[in-house]
Every structure is written in structure tokens, then in C-alpha cells.
Amino acid sequence: AYVHDDEIGDLWKAMWLEDQETFDLEADELQEALQKWEKKQKKKEEKAMSSKMAKPLSGGSIHKAEGTVIKPPKTTTSRRFSASTNFTVDGIEHGIILATPLHPNARIGVVWPARVMHVSEIKALGTQQASRRSSSKNSIHVVFLAPYWNGHYSFTSKNKTDLFMKNPNAGKDAFSAGPLFEMETVEVSETTIQKYPYDDLNSESLSIDNLRSAFRFLGLPKAAFPRFLDSHRLAMSLKTFARREISKTRSSENDASHATAFAALTDTHTLSVRTAMFPNALLILPYDHILSNLPPPTEQVSQLGSDDGVGVSEPVLKLHLVMKAMAPPHCWGNTLMDQSETNLANSNSPLPKGIDALSTPDSGRGLTPINSPDPKLSSSRLRASGSSKTDDDFADWSPSNFASGYLLNHIAVDSNGKAPTAALTSLGNELDTLLSWFRTEFSAADKLSREERENKLEAFLCRCLVIKGYGEDLLALNDVPKNINCRNLTLEWRKTCERIFKRAIAKFSVSGFGNGVTVVLTDSRCNQHLTATGSFERAVRLPAAIRGAKQAGAGSREGVKLVTQVDEKYMELAEKKILPKAHKASYLKRIKAKIAALPPDAKGAPLTDDSEGEGGEDTMGSRGSYTAAVAGIAAALQAVNMVVGGKCVNVFCAVRPPGHHAGRDLRPMNAISNGFCLLNAAACAALYATAPQSEGGLGLKRVCVIDFDVHHGNGTQDILCSTHDSRFLYVSLHAGGAHINGYDDGGNGSETDDNLRRSLPGGGKNEGIFPGRCGDTSPHEGVLNIPLGQKVTAQAIGNALVSQVSPAVEAFSPELIVLSAGFDAHKHDPLGMGGLSAEDFGSVTDVACQMAFKSCSGRVLSILEGGYGVPCCRIKNDLFLPNNLVNGGDSTDQADGASKNLAAFKILDLGDDLPTSMEDDVPIPLQQKLDRCHAEGFLECVKEHVSSLARHG
């Protein structure tokens, strides 16, 4: 294939069909390959000619010699197109996909909403190719919806930067001036066609906040967002129409069974056969006029500051009603709604806010329209500080100020209430008791010291969340009358408890405590973990992380606190109660014994090798490694307490060694090593949060762990989700996939095979990606593994977060979100497995915090995992001495030679954050690889991550 590339120049690329790997060809190699191909073709032609010389006999066989019969050769299709012939995408029956445009002004790799044209449309337009070659059957015709590239917009390939062509109508018009629809022919493959991500069957609205989150990962200018929004408005409305109107008249089973045959007859791809056939009248509606009357994004102010954390959304366009309005009797004005809409209008139930009488009832969601609590709980009241605590303030702490009318109508909260069952009566009593306890305990809060007040608040908040879980159990385990929507009641109960939680924190928030506070927590004992020379996991990662956090304001900016030492009680809690829950006793004993046997000056000794000495090549340490790992666990436990106890909104734990590859036992889930990890802080935090208070835990009901390290967190999955545990949801976004991690477990036992299996994390193509196949699939509903291919891109992780992770987390409704924050998917990381920028990591954190705000009042705990893009921080002088030192040269020459050598290398200055005793012995090849991290690397990733946490504080 001749490939056009603006960065490195045009070139030929070749592929071996056996292993599907591509490589570049030099000019002489190209000529040699072409000559071999021509010889092969010549032989095939000669063989074909000799076959034609024989006389055909009956039965279709060819007689060559007596007693020898040769069957005619089978017609074979090109291997290149055989895979794409059967390619399909979920939801194609509704006609909407994401496709990659080929327009020169479109950003490379960005997929855009498109409608797949049906074969009947293509024939009618006369655009079907006459050729019957396989290549014509490998393409489909799509119509891009509201494309951004056909306006006054240009893309400069030289610096890969999006620019506006300066004109009087700058801004939105730069992207919206072009036609609303644009047709292209797209080759069918996994890289060019993807499933449309917003495919919730019950969704009748379009989340503007989710679209904003997805847009951040596209790398497009902010002014292109209105066009992006319009494209999804069109996509969702067409998809909803197809699901509602077209799916009724088509048999999906019949389509699937006959699509291949029909595609062969019409010389098209099966996608063009299975796609929705939209009515022509629908396709020619005045969409420009419709979209121009919708509210622009600038007027849709986000409601993320609301009491329930509900973001901005708008109803999906009801195209079926538009079509009905154009036909009698609706077009005569005799009637405005069909029978179902008449019933809705005449019912006593109030319509949801923003939905008029023509709206489709939201029956599919199984939810009842609910009125919000009394509006006097305004945001200004929620931000009240502890400096003003009058009797009137506590008078507001009544159930009617937190629970919706829907919930109050079903639980007994006062003498006038009457609940239909004992379970609902108990629910009302628990709510009333909780609020009464708060009023009693805090009525004299002014007389308490700050420490006493904080301790009381922590106890109340923990009790609030425990009662929240108790109420959910009551509703789940008891019979609720059939006329009551139990799911709706449960959602309202959760919202009520979270309102109380947020209001309690807001009431006593002061400077440095409560709302608006983000904490960066670290401990110098983590520096005692010393690895080998040349290891990616270097001691300087921790000082670099602290420097990045400080650049985000930690320790200097109000609301971003820096805590540099873990409380000793959490060290004891970690060792005695939590670690035994996470790791097997035999594993802990083995690690302790291994470390205790090391000499005091040991550095980079294998810690996780088995009895045969295998598996310890990457996980090395020193005498202080166990203490360092326990300090990381203790920091995570303290952070959980701080977040749940209301001291802050979120916490970032800057600790090492990392832990998400450490499982219950050595090398979990058949991994080849422990991947730099000793003890699993993320798993320990989740176990501590969900452990009963009688066992020293906090008693939370559900915790979600979101892991965005470039490697799958096999250790975390092994500890929390080896079997389905309803307390945990583990989500991992990582490099990998079944097409990558495909080595044979059998092996041939050779030395070469062993070397491939025991490569460092992030190895090459031949051995797959560490830790192997365990992250390619999700074993049960408590695990959501999303492999993102050989290299993690911003668009891939953004699509996954918005379309898969957000719905899963919202459905799970966690009470705490733990982030395994790995930054090794950065574009400059030495592993070379990612293409994310530091800003992209900030966007990932933004999305995670938005999830947390919607489900658990913003409670987020982030724990440092991978990320190795730290340039050399300290050069070892004896490595750069000039040659004449060995030969006995004078001191002046020695000094001049040393300074010249030192000047050739750039050093990352970490200032006082780098301990004077810490060495950073980096081999020259690795140091050269890390030099590009001076422009942007691990430090900047941490800065963006902490900045995002602080924004959502």
C-alpha cells in the first residue's frame, strides 16, 4: 500500500498476511518484493494455461492422466476483504454509527456521527459502482451529520494544529457555515466504523454534559462544540425514530439471515442492507430551521452545582410527531396528540419539567415523575459556613426539606403520614431519627472545639451513609406493594441521604475543611523503596509527583492542602486489619521474609520471584520496601476517612510503590510478574470503606474502582472481583485486546519462548501486553474491562468513559469512587503505549469527578499507580568523567571534561522536593528516551490531575 504521511513523508508499507504485521519498505526492498510477486503471478498464469489445455469431463472434473482426476480450482476471494465482508456493528438496524471522514479538513482519527445509506438509496442516486470487484463490496456510503470540516475551517498538517481561517464570521460560523449533511464512501473496518455510543434504549433525553466530556478528547477547538452538539441531536433523533417506527416493520432475524445473500446480489456490503430505511419525507425535513431554534450551548448553564448533581440534558427531537403533524388530521389542526398522549395530558401526574403535552411518555424508564424538595434549600443555604448556626438553621433540618413529595407520600415521617408496609414505616422512622440526632448533637456546636465538631460531623456522616444502605436493604428485601415503583423509591431514598450528607458538610465548612477542599497526601517513608538501575519505577517519581501537585497549588493555594505524613494509627490499622483482608497470609509472610533477609545496603533485589527464581525481574526493592508499601496503604485508608468524614471532597495519594498488579497471592491471574507492585492500596481502600464498622471499617455499601493505568489492574480485580461481589465495581481502561494478547499458553519450552513471557510490563507485539489476557474480557457484571488496543488514544478513552463507564457507574451508584491513577498512557512515557496529553488526563479526571458528583456527592480518592516519564533528576558524576581521568590527566582537564559532559544532558530540577540523599542512576539510553519529557511528562500529568480534583472540590 502506498501511504500518504505528512510527518515522515510518503512511503510504501507491506503486510505479511500470516501475522498481520506491517513494516516500511526501502526502495530496493520494494523492487525485490515486486519482482518476487511478478514471478509468482507468472507461475500462476502458466499453471492456469496448462489447466485449460485439458478437456473437461462430466461432473466438472478435469482429466489429466489415466487414473488421475483433478478438481477445478476453488474461486477464492481476497483475504484482505474476507474479514470485512462479515463485519457488523451493534445498532446498525437503527442506521446510525460513528465513522471516520476522509475530508482533508477533518482531524485524523476523529470519528463523527453518520447515517448509513440503505442500498435502495444508493441505487436511486446512481452512485453504486459498476465494478464487481471485492473492493466495491468492502465500502459503504454514509451521510455525515452536521460535519465541522466543511465550513471556514482548516487543518494544517505541518504542525497538526486546528486553526480558524480568519473571517468576519469567526467563532461558531467557522464550523457551521457548510452544509448540514455530507455524503462519503467509507471503507469498512474496525478503525473506520464504530458503534454509536449513546444507545440507551430507555433514554428520551440527550445529556449535554456527557457530550461536553466526550468533546474534550477529540482535540477540536471549543468553537466546534455547537456543531458537535447538532450532529448528536440529529443522530439521536434519527436513531430514536428508527427504533420506534422502523424496527416495528422489520424482522431483525430475517435481516440477519438474508443480508449476506442480498448484499451479494446487489454488490454491496451487508451494513448497507441491514441499515434502517428512513422515509424520504423524513430525510428532507428542514433540519437547519429546527436546529436553529434549539437553545445554543452557551445558554445551557450546567446544573452540576444542583443538589442532586443532575447535569444539563435536553429532550431528543420527536421526529415521529413532526411527521404526524404533516399528515391529516393533525395538519388541519383538528387534534394535537394521539391517544396515548391524550391519556398523558388528562392524567393527574404532573409532566416532567421541560416536557410539553406532545412529549412521549417516559414509560420505558420505569420511573415516575417526581417533584424536587422544597426550593428553599438553595445553593446559598448549602454553602452556609459554621460561623452562623442559629435555631432557624436547625429548624430547616426536617424531612420535607430533603425528601421529595414522592418519597414522603410513601413513608411515615410524621403523625399525618401513613405507610402501606412496615418496611416503609421503618424507612420514615430512620430518616426522622437521623435528622433529630443531627439537630440534638449540633444545637450547641458553637461551644465545641473545632476538633470535637469535626469528630462529631465524621460520626454523623458515616451514620448517614450506613442508614442509606440500610434503607436500600429494606426496600430490596421486603415486599413493596405492586402499585409502588420500588426502583424509583430506592433512587429517591439515595438522593435524600446524599442531600443530607452534603448539607451537613456545607453547614460546618470553614477554610481548609469541608467543601472546596482537596488534599494531596504523601509520606516520606515511601522513598525507602529503592529499585535497580535502569528500572522504570524510580524513586524520583514521588518527588516529581509532589512537585506536580505543588504546581497545581498544593500547599500554597487555599483549598488545596498538602499533608506530608500519614497518621500512625493508619499504619497499625493497615497491618493488623486491612492487609489480611486483601492479601493471603502466605503472600505477606513471603514478602516480609524476603525483605528482612536483604542486607541494609541492598538496592534493586528481586522481591516477587517464586521458588524457581522466576517472575522477579521487574519488581525489585530494598530493606525499606515493605515499610514504603505499608505507608502507601495507610495513606489510602486515611484518605478514605478524610473524604467520607467530610474533611475534604477528594484526595490524591502520592505514594509508591504502585499496587494494582498485586493480588491475593504472587503474580495474580497468571501474570508473568508483579509489575513493580507489592501491596494493593486501591483494593485496601475499597475493602476498608465497605468493611462493617464492627470490624474497623466504615460500612459503605458500594465502592467503584476506576483504573486508567495503561496496564490492566489484574491485582485489584483478583482481590475485589474474583467472584461477583455486589459491593464492588471494577472498571479498567487499558491497552490490550484479544487481537493483541494472543500468545499460546502452551509454548514450546524454549529459551526464546521463556524470554518472551518474562518481559517487562509494556512489552512488544510478540508477547502481548502485560499482564496478559485477563483484561480482555469482563467475567461478570462486577467487572468492566475495556481494552483500547495497542496504543491508548484520547478519543478511544473518551468514548469509553462517556458511552460505557458513565452509564455503568450511574447504574451501580457507588458511595465512593477510587481512582487507580496511572499516567503511563502519556504520549512521552518510555513505555510507548499511549498517546494522551497531560490535558487529556485532566479531562479523564473531570469525567470521573462528574460521575462522583452525580452518585456520591463528589467523594473521590485517587491513588498514584504508573507513569514513568520523569527525566533524569540527578547525574552521577563518576559516570561522566573524561577519558584522561583514567589516564592520569591533571585536575583542570578533568573538570573541563566533566562540565562538557554534564552540559550535554538536561536535568529536571525538582528543587527542595528532591531529598539530598536520593540518587537517580539512569542509563544513557533510557535518559535519552526521557529527554522529551522535559516538554511534557509525568510531572505535568500529575499537575493536571490535581488541578481537576481541585476544580471539582
Side-chain angles (χ1 to χ4, degrees), residues 412-455:
V413 294
D414 52 36
S415 58
N416 297 323
K418 185 178 180 181
T421 66
L424 295 180
T425 302
S426 178
L427 209 63
N429 292 338
E430 288 292 340
L431 179 59
D432 205 22
T433 302
L434 178 67
L435 295 175
S436 298
W437 186 83
F438 181 87
R439 290 193 299 266
T440 303
E441 289 293 318
F442 290 97
S443 58
D446 287 332
K447 300 177 182 179
L448 300 175
S449 66
R450 176 167 174 170
E451 183 178 358
E452 290 174 330
R453 190 164 61 243
E454 291 177 2
N455 290 338

Side-chain angles (χ1 to χ4, degrees), residues 82-143:
S82 60
S84 62
T85 301
N86 299 321
F87 177 85
T88 188
V89 61
D90 291 341
I92 184 60
E93 64 274 10
H94 301 136
I96 302 299
I97 61 170
L98 294 180
T100 304
L102 301 177
H103 196 281
N105 279 350
R107 189 176 182 87
I108 297 174
V110 173
V111 291
W112 200 259
R115 179 180 68 84
V116 180
M117 297 179 67
H118 194 267
V119 60
S120 58
E121 286 185 80
I122 302 169
K123 295 287 186 182
L125 291 174
T127 56
Q128 178 66 24
Q129 299 177 10
S131 171
R132 298 179 64 89
R133 295 171 53 204
S134 296
S135 58
S136 67
K137 302 176 185 178
N138 190 50
S139 301
I140 60 173
H141 296 270
V142 301
V143 176

